[in-house]
Amino acid sequence: MGKTVFIKDTTIGGKDRTRDVYGILLGVLRERGLENNVQLVRVVDIGVYGQGVVVRVLPENFLYTHVEDADIVGIVEQSLIGGKPFAAKLVAEGARQLRIVLRNCGVIDPESIEEYIAKDGYQALAKVLSDTPEKTLQEMKTSGLRGRGGAGFPTGMKWEFTRKSPGAQKYIICNGDEGDPGAYMDRSVLEGDPHSVIEGMIIGGYAIGASKGYFYIRAEYPLAIERIEKALHQCREAGLLGKNIFGSSFSFDVEIRLGAGAFVCGEETALIASIEGKRGYPSPRPPFPSVKGLWGKPTCINNVETLANIPVILLKGGAWFAGIGTASSKGTKVFAVTGKVKNSGLVEVPMGTAIEDIVYGIGGGALAGKSVKAIQTGGPSGGVIPKEHFSTKVDYESLQQMGSIMGSGGMIVMDEDDCMPDIAKFYLGFCVDESCGKCAPCRIGGTQMLRLLTKVTEGEGTPKDLEQLEQISHAMQKASLCGLGQTAPNPVLSTLHYYRAEYDAHVKNKKCPACKCAKLVRFLIMSEKCVKCGMCFKACPVNAISGNRESGYLIDQTKCIRCGQCFEACKPRAISRS
Amino acid sequence: MEKLTKDGLEKLRQQHAAADKNYIKVGFSSCGIAAGAQEVYDVLCEEVRKHNADVEIKKCGCVGMCSAEPLVEVRVKNMPRVFYGKVDKETAIKIVEKHVGAKMLLNDRIYDMKVS
């Protein structure tokens, strides 16, 4: 293979020098008559951010950062001619992903069972079926896998409880009712590698002694449903579902149930009620589903990501899996990194990876010209983690210590323009909408908290309101029936904890430091900076800006809806926001 | 399809094990489809047919970099395996003509996936 060189200027702000470096490098190659032996490529993303000019030499994969023009001759002579690293600028590869759950996503055709089998699919099932269920349980306990739905309960123990519960009929359910704002890991796995989840489920069924499984998938995921249906059909044809799988005495089949869009149905007791055709109300635990679940029978509920882990664990062994991650959290976690981040998408990293490696190293940091302020994990049940604490390593315990939770894996990046009371209001509003109304603490507490937060963000708040917010939060945490109500105040508490000054600014000074809360912000055109270009006039959606290119422009404060579009549109930054 | 036995499974696995072939993969999950994967796929098929290129076009799930969809992975023998992001019709045509045909990587289109 000939040499290939990737070039990208990763400097944040300033002129992009990618083309200049490309030109210089090409010149140096021409002098040595090498231009036909080496491919020079300008790339959009080189996997490193904010490190000056970056050059990557393939196939050796030498990575050079902060490359100056003077280094180019050295790189050509050392690496391209000599095949050796150019030591002065060589750096080690930064944070990379480790893909266990997403091993086949984007690799195989999700609608082809043959391609899944070619990637060692159903090998784990064949292996498991030739041994006792106890062996599988033991292997799962060795692996230390914990539920990926959020709570982090050890999967092996959950299976064992269900297996030991008395009763002839048992069920296993795959919880695909993913509802956290900004989280879509499960959808991607169901769409990209449906067979891995099905295989995990069949193995689970064998281990706990269930003959029937249910997929509970939200109806908003039509493509995921279609692909799971197709995959189930292929499994039945191949005899991987049905009677006497692989000639063993084990029989198993799976049905799909669709969620009708209620967030609370992701909670296991509500999910069971929903499958039974009842209203999706949670019920008090105990009895836990592992004792009395679907139709009163012992039931095990696992998240999509948990199940996708299982075939690999059983194929490679629990000890292998336990070698990845931290002391208490094993394996990897998929995060849906979204919000104001350069590379939004799915990231799978070993447990114990620092947040900064995910946000800056893989996510690429904030969008152009802004800086990251915090991340929010765990959706409406989680909390925010300010950038000062980005050295925190992600695992179940450390995120909990930070006042957030692992949750299902949503990671929303927020920048300097995000107002914390407003964020808290958004998440709380979500929970108020989704509260089923069965228990009073969640139904009434949530509504009252939302009322208080609305007051704060509109500049009507008093210091007493903040005290009351905390009081109601603690009451909701203690007294709510299910996880939704118990965790709904978390975003409020964690923003109050880390960003008290921002709340105080809203309450005492009636100002929004992030200039987000519409009632507290004012946009003004500074005539001394204004170049009278009229861009703000064009951008305003409500015609609140009047004037012309001779006399300049003026914002009518009574008409202005504080959307900030003029502010964004103004190139010379002549619009003040305060 | 016949009911699988353990031997049958192993046979199937070997039969479909990755051969050393040229391929183009287009991400066909919700994110890719929403960004226009179908059009890119159609154009790629059309171009490959037109040039009679030695490459197989496949569909796959989401590889994770949803912000750069439609993503197209190209693997041609003796060339680095790369991902093209935000692929439009023109880029799709160029992928077949330049990358697959002339064995030249395209400028200003490649994204790094950061998968170990």
Side-chain angles (χ1 to χ4, degrees):
Chain A
M1 194 187 294
K3 299 247 191 263
T4 308
V5 181
F6 286 171
I7 308 162
K8 168 76 186 168
D9 183 2
T10 63
T11 314
I12 296 164
K15 189 178 172 287
D16 186 355
R17 294 198 61 248
T18 310
R19 277 173 186 272
D20 303 347
V21 178
Y22 180 91
I24 298 170
L25 194 45
L26 191 62
V28 175
L29 287 175
R30 283 210 177 113
E31 277 170 25
R32 287 160 178 76
L34 287 171
E35 74 270 23
N36 294 326
N37 303 6
V38 178
Q39 271 206 36
L40 289 188
V41 189
R42 298 187 301 271
V43 298
V44 187
D45 181 311
I46 200 159
V48 181
Y49 309 95
Q51 306 279 324
V53 174
V54 180
V55 172
R56 195 189 278 280
V57 178
L58 298 173
E60 292 91 345
N61 205 8
F62 296 136
L63 183 66
Y64 304 110
T65 59
H66 299 289
V67 173
E68 304 293 334
D69 296 354
D71 300 321
I72 291 176
V73 174
I75 292 177
V76 170
E77 290 187 342
Q78 295 283 327
S79 293
L80 296 179
I81 299 173
K84 291 192 187 68
F86 174 64
K89 297 284 167 162
L90 187 77
V91 290
E93 200 72 59
R96 305 294 283 191
Q97 301 188 45
L98 174 66
R99 296 202 154 178
I100 295 176
V101 173
L102 300 177
R103 61 193 179 279
N104 290 331
C105 285
V107 177
I108 62 166
D109 181 351
E111 300 191 0
S112 155
I113 190 171
E114 288 84 3
E115 287 201 19
Y116 180 67
I117 289 173
K119 292 275 173 194
D120 294 337
Y122 294 107
Q123 297 282 340
L125 178 65
K127 187 173 157 190
V128 162
L129 287 182
S130 58
D131 220 322
T132 61
E134 283 73 20
K135 183 85 190 301
T136 306
L137 290 178
Q138 193 51 50
E139 205 65 40
M140 288 307 297
K141 282 202 272 185
T142 312
S143 76
L145 173 69
R146 296 169 66 174
R148 296 290 191 251
F153 192 80
T155 307
M157 272 165 73
K158 202 181 210 176
W159 284 10
E160 193 172 40
F161 288 150
T162 318
R163 178 162 187 86
K164 286 189 173 157
S165 290
Q169 177 68 61
K170 286 169 190 170
Y171 297 105
I172 182 163
I173 298 174
C174 170
N175 183 351
D177 191 59
E178 184 178 46
D180 287 359
Y184 60 99
M185 307 72 50
D186 294 352
R187 188 195 73 201
S188 221
V189 175
L190 290 171
E191 287 179 358
D193 193 13
H195 282 288
S196 71
V197 186
I198 296 173
E199 186 180 0
M201 199 164 169
I202 305 173
I203 293 172
Y206 178 69
I208 66 173
S211 61
K212 177 106 199 190
Y214 286 91
F215 268 104
Y216 189 85
I217 308 173
R218 56 188 298 200
E220 291 93 330
Y221 287 175
L223 189 64
I225 296 162
E226 186 191 314
R227 293 204 172 144
I228 284 287
E229 267 173 357
K230 206 170 253 181
L232 287 175
H233 179 72
Q234 290 167 343
C235 284
R236 285 193 195 103
E237 293 241 297
L240 296 166
L241 284 174
K243 287 203 160 54
N244 304 102
I245 298 168
F246 281 130
S248 69
S249 58
F250 176 62
S251 302
F252 188 76
D253 209 348
V254 179
E255 264 183 59
I256 301 179
R257 288 284 186 277
L258 303 188
F263 179 67
V264 75
C265 287
E267 197 278 337
E268 52 184 16
T269 56
L271 187 152
I272 287 174
S274 174
I275 292 184
E276 289 174 346
K278 298 179 191 146
R279 186 172 176 150
Y281 267 169
S283 39
R285 296 178 303 183
F288 286 92
S290 58
V291 179
K292 201 162 173 276
L294 189 61
W295 289 301
K297 306 283 191 266
T299 304
C300 176
I301 301 176
N302 289 127
N303 171 267
V304 170
E305 196 185 325
T306 314
L307 290 176
N309 267 303
I310 284 161
V312 196
I313 293 175
L314 291 167
L315 204 58
K316 298 197 179 178
W320 165 81
F321 191 80
I324 304 165
T326 64
S328 62
S329 309
K330 305 296 185 193
T332 59
K333 179 79 193 86
V334 185
F335 288 100
V337 184
T338 56
K340 302 194 175 148
V341 64
K342 196 162 168 281
N343 305 329
S344 56
L346 295 182
V347 168
E348 182 171 356
V349 289
M351 294 277 189
T353 304
I355 295 170
E356 55 197 358
D357 286 339
I358 302 176
V359 174
Y360 298 109
I362 299 171
L367 295 169
K370 306 277 182 188
S371 69
V372 175
K373 181 176 184 177
I375 58 159
Q376 206 278 349
T377 64
S381 314
V384 295
I385 299 173
K387 66 162 184 275
E388 292 75 28
H389 297 281
F390 273 10
S391 55
T392 308
K393 311 244 185 274
V394 288
D395 65 26
Y396 290 96
E397 278 71 29
S398 56
L399 287 183
Q400 211 153 16
Q401 274 168 17
M402 300 300 302
S404 187
I405 59 162
M406 176 79 83
S408 61
M411 185 179 276
I412 297 175
V413 179
M414 294 175 284
D415 70 8
E416 55 204 25
D417 288 345
D418 285 310
C419 162
M420 287 302 157
D422 189 59
I423 294 281
K425 194 177 88 178
F426 167 78
Y427 282 108
L428 198 71
F430 180 87
C431 286
V432 170
D433 275 348
E434 294 294 344
S435 170
C436 72
K438 186 174 179 181
C439 72
C442 176
R443 183 181 67 235
I444 301 170
T447 309
Q448 288 306 317
M449 279 176 73
L450 187 60
R451 188 182 61 87
L452 292 170
L453 277 174
T454 309
K455 260 177 86 183
V456 169
T457 53
E458 290 182 349
E460 313 279 321
T462 61
K464 201 155 175 290
D465 290 339
L466 299 186
E467 275 172 41
Q468 216 175 354
L469 269 175
E470 276 176 310
Q471 271 176 6
I472 304 176
S473 293
H474 294 306
M476 273 178 82
Q477 282 183 326
K478 284 206 180 75
S480 293
L481 178 61
C482 80
L484 193 153
Q486 286 159 9
T487 57
N490 286 356
V492 179
L493 286 174
S494 81
T495 49
L496 265 172
H497 176 71
Y498 290 117
Y499 294 97
R500 186 71 186 211
E502 245 179 78
Y503 278 90
D504 286 341
H506 281 76
V507 170
K508 292 186 186 137
N509 312 332
K510 312 293 176 203
K511 286 272 175 218
C512 175
C515 298
K516 177 95 179 177
C517 296
K519 287 262 169 82
L520 302 178
V521 60
R522 260 168 82 90
F523 291 92
L524 284 173
I525 297 173
M526 296 178 281
S527 51
E528 68 277 12
K529 277 195 187 171
C530 179
V531 296
K532 299 176 185 173
C533 65
M535 290 306 285
C536 56
F537 176 76
K538 279 190 196 144
C540 183
V542 291
N543 296 328
I545 298 178
S546 60
N548 55 49
R549 298 194 62 173
E550 271 87 54
S551 62
Y553 295 88
L554 203 68
I555 302 175
D556 183 345
Q557 297 298 334
T558 57
K559 279 190 191 166
C560 175
I561 55 165
R562 279 95 184 169
C563 64
Q565 292 202 25
C566 54
F567 181 81
E568 298 293 333
C570 184
K571 285 269 149 61
R573 298 238 160 262
I575 293 180
S576 76
R577 185 174 69 162
S578 61
Chain B
M1 198 174 189
E2 272 180 50
K3 302 270 182 231
L4 278 177
T5 58
K6 271 171 210 168
D7 296 337
L9 184 74
E10 183 58 30
K11 213 186 270 173
L12 207 58
R13 186 178 77 90
Q14 283 168 7
Q15 211 176 352
H16 290 271
D20 190 25
K21 274 197 282 191
N22 296 343
Y23 63 73
I24 297 177
K25 280 183 193 168
V26 186
F28 259 83
S29 278
S30 295
C31 44
I33 294 171
Q38 187 65 53
E39 194 195 13
V40 170
Y41 183 82
D42 293 343
V43 171
L44 285 170
C45 290
E46 172 73 28
E47 288 299 307
V48 165
R49 201 165 43 237
K50 224 167 30 188
H51 296 276
N52 199 15
D54 169 33
V55 65
E56 189 185 358
I57 301 178
K58 298 182 182 182
K59 292 181 182 180
C60 65
C62 165
V63 70
M65 204 157 169
C66 309
S67 56
E69 292 282 359
L71 267 171
V72 173
E73 182 189 340
V74 185
R75 197 259 176 201
V76 173
K77 258 176 256 176
N78 297 325
M79 286 177 80
R81 188 180 63 114
V82 294
F83 288 90
Y84 290 104
K86 299 187 182 166
V87 175
D88 51 11
K89 230 169 130 177
E90 284 75 46
T91 315
I93 294 172
K94 276 193 200 152
I95 287 174
V96 179
E97 279 180 2
K98 288 218 172 138
H99 189 145
V100 180
K103 308 272 182 275
M104 295 286 290
L105 298 172
L106 304 190
N107 274 316
D108 306 318
R109 286 285 178 273
I110 293 176
Y111 283 73
D112 182 285
M113 274 309 303
K114 278 186 269 344
V115 180
S116 58

